[in-house]
Amino acid sequence: MVDFMAADGRLDLDRITTGFNLTKSQLAETAGLASDTLQKSARRDAPKTQARMTEVLEILSRLETWAGGRGQALAWYRAQPIAALDGRTAEALVKSGKAAVVRDYLDHLALGGFA
């Protein structure tokens, strides 16, 4: 996640879009934000936007080593239904404000728990 930080401590969304090969609109959709949120600096730098993007990146960073790379982590995040979480994807849960549930699930797996 450090790769995506700007010198001032905020997330550099241009680095994120480049790192995951996404447009800003696609990145916003992935995080559950309005497509124009990442286009305007005032909205892009807002605490709510930065917090949501931090949640997404924390989850993707944890998945990256398990999945085999950034692209695979993003694919899992978007498409893999999680049986233990009512068959919802990580993306759907984050969009509904439940990133903590996804992080808890990943913690459970990391500690040797069953999926």
Side-chain angles (χ1 to χ4, degrees):
M1 198 160 107
V2 175
D3 297 342
F4 302 118
M5 300 298 281
D8 62 5
R10 288 179 295 124
L11 292 171
D12 184 333
L13 299 178
D14 291 327
R15 287 186 197 170
I16 298 168
T17 56
T18 300
F20 286 96
N21 198 28
L22 298 169
T23 65
K24 287 182 180 177
S25 294
Q26 290 170 325
L27 181 60
E29 171 64 24
T30 298
L33 301 168
S35 61
D36 65 341
T37 300
L38 302 183
Q39 302 295 334
K40 299 178 181 178
S41 61
R43 288 184 180 177
R44 180 181 61 229
D45 297 337
K48 179 181 175 185
T49 303
Q50 289 285 309
R52 177 64 62 92
M53 292 308 307
T54 298
E55 291 172 341
V56 170
L57 285 176
E58 284 175 352
I59 292 167
L60 289 173
S61 293
R62 295 172 93 178
L63 293 171
E64 191 173 337
T65 54
W66 294 349
R70 284 185 182 154
Q72 295 89 337
L74 184 60
W76 187 94
Y77 172 86
R78 287 178 163 171
Q80 183 63 45
I82 304 169
L85 301 176
D86 297 327
R88 298 179 71 193
T89 64
E91 181 179 42
L93 289 160
V94 169
K95 284 180 177 181
S96 65
K98 297 183 179 175
V101 172
V102 177
R103 286 193 307 267
D104 289 346
Y105 173 74
L106 295 175
D107 284 343
H108 172 73
L109 292 180
L111 294 173
F114 293 102

